[in-house]
Amino acid sequence: MIEKITFDGVVQGKKILILGAVHGNETAGPNALFKVIDDIQSYRINLKRGCVTFVPICNLIAYQKDVRQVDENLNRVIKHHDNPITYEQKIANEISSLIEQNDILLDLHSTHCQGDVPFVFCDYPTSDNLKLIEAIDVDYVLLGWPQIYSGHADITDYSTERYAHDCHKSGVTLECGYHKEPKATDVAYNAVLNVLKQYGMIDGISHISHCKTNIYLTEFIIKRKNGRLCQNYKHLDRILKGQKIAQYDDGEVLTASQDGYILLPNGSAEIGTEWYYLGTQNK
Ligand SMILES: [Zn+2]
């Protein structure tokens, strides 16, 4: 059973669900949510409208072990499982019920490399989701996730965002920067407060300092055998057409097919999982 806490405002309003540690080693979300919960319980923040439910730690066992997952990637199995087998499928059943009970989802994640730039995923750019993203103070929005997964029958992408969309709810995923960077907790904390302000749930106006750049995902690469990334890439590093990105131990080299960006590089990816993504500013 996942632990959650719900706060109700005096006046009716939106119902918001905010998740942390869907991936166990992504601690920025839990750190920020414990802080917001304490702010509300100590009356430093007054929830005046609507209803907010926090799940600071979705994947508890992975969080306790400081690993991404126990049996499988929780953010690829978010739906109802009639006969849940893995640990993550059992959690997915609880999370999908919570998503159904709320109007808006904010899912807080973080990324693998020191210096990673925060960004928000907008898998479904509906007007409701764009309103939600408006409140989040990051420089980059990543689009096109469902499209790059649609051609891969062997990999499912049942994410929290997808489940929210399938249930006609708003939902976005915020990647707050590198897991262990204290700044990532600040990004998560500010985003939570700004989102609550955006829907009139707490006092204040969300202050956003800059315009966002849209990056369109073009493909992802599954690590098929032993190998390594050719550089110590960070998320959103620029790459050039023909640039060597990765090399397998048997000598096979993977290159970029166009100018653009490397996204979410995971130097310690397991074989059979996503190694890195590529994207461009051009739609
Ligand atoms: Zn994550």
Side-chain angles (χ1 to χ4, degrees):
M1 188 84 179
I2 55 176
E3 288 206 19
K4 59 182 189 294
I5 183 162
T6 300
F7 297 96
D8 284 301
V10 182
V11 184
Q12 274 204 338
K14 293 286 187 192
K15 295 176 83 173
I16 299 191
L17 173 67
I18 307 185
L19 304 178
V22 162
H23 295 130
N25 59 337
E26 300 180 4
T27 51
N31 293 343
L33 293 182
F34 288 130
K35 200 170 157 195
V36 177
I37 291 166
D38 187 52
D39 284 341
I40 296 175
Q41 288 176 329
S42 309
Y43 305 105
R44 286 188 295 275
I45 289 176
N46 174 32
L47 188 76
K48 56 178 195 174
R49 181 189 300 276
C51 169
V52 58
T53 297
F54 300 106
V55 184
I57 302 168
C58 290
N59 196 330
L60 181 63
I61 295 180
Y63 176 82
Q64 287 168 337
K65 293 181 172 173
D66 194 26
V67 294
R68 184 172 175 80
Q69 62 203 50
V70 178
D71 297 321
E72 60 182 331
N73 186 342
L74 176 56
N75 212 23
R76 302 287 181 279
V77 295
I78 299 289
K79 59 175 185 170
H80 276 291
H81 301 266
D82 288 337
N83 297 300
I85 297 163
T86 66
Y87 175 64
E88 274 82 6
Q89 288 174 7
K90 289 171 192 157
I91 306 171
N93 281 357
E94 293 189 56
I95 292 174
S96 28
S97 295
L98 284 174
I99 290 172
E100 289 163 26
Q101 293 157 23
N102 284 274
D103 305 313
I104 294 164
L105 163 77
L106 176 63
D107 186 7
L108 301 171
H109 288 246
S110 53
T111 49
H112 312 289
C113 308
Q114 194 147 19
D116 275 347
V117 178
F119 68 94
V120 64
F121 275 111
C122 183
D123 293 353
Y124 306 94
T126 62
S127 55
D128 285 345
N129 283 345
L130 294 176
K131 178 180 175 176
L132 178 55
I133 286 174
E134 222 175 69
I136 300 174
D137 198 7
V138 292
D139 290 339
Y140 293 95
V141 180
L142 253 69
L143 297 117
W145 182 274
Q147 288 80 356
I148 60 167
Y149 275 86
S150 63
H152 290 261
D154 50 335
I155 298 186
T156 61
D157 75 323
Y158 293 107
S159 63
T160 55
E161 235 181 294
R162 175 173 171 174
Y163 195 74
H165 183 72
D166 288 349
C167 298
H168 310 287
K169 316 283 184 178
S170 301
V172 297
T173 307
L174 172 60
E175 298 278 356
C176 301
Y178 175 52
H179 307 315
K180 308 300 177 201
E181 190 95 54
K183 266 191 307 192
T185 298
D186 298 340
V187 169
Y189 179 79
N190 290 331
V192 172
L193 296 194
N194 274 349
V195 165
L196 296 178
K197 289 173 188 170
Q198 179 80 328
Y199 296 95
M201 296 173 69
I202 62 173
D203 282 329
I205 297 165
S206 45
H207 292 290
I208 304 303
S209 49
H210 18 41
C211 297
K212 296 179 178 69
T213 302
N214 287 340
I215 305 285
Y216 299 89
L217 289 151
T218 52
E219 61 179 314
F220 67 91
I221 283 72
I222 296 290
K223 188 176 183 179
R224 290 184 285 105
K225 47 198 172 182
N226 286 323
R228 61 179 176 84
L229 296 175
C230 294
Q231 289 180 32
N232 203 7
Y233 289 109
K234 292 196 305 296
H235 174 67
L236 281 163
D237 274 349
R238 284 191 179 264
I239 49 159
L240 297 170
K241 183 176 177 179
Q243 185 173 330
K244 274 172 68 174
I245 307 291
Q247 183 161 9
Y248 286 117
D249 290 353
D250 63 9
E252 187 187 350
V253 171
L254 304 179
T255 57
S257 57
Q258 58 180 323
D259 292 350
Y261 297 85
I262 186 165
L263 307 162
L264 303 159
N266 184 0
S268 51
E270 307 264 330
I271 291 171
T273 66
E274 293 89 339
W275 202 1
Y276 60 90
Y277 297 72
L278 297 173
T280 162
Q281 269 190 60
N282 310 312
K283 203 168 183 177

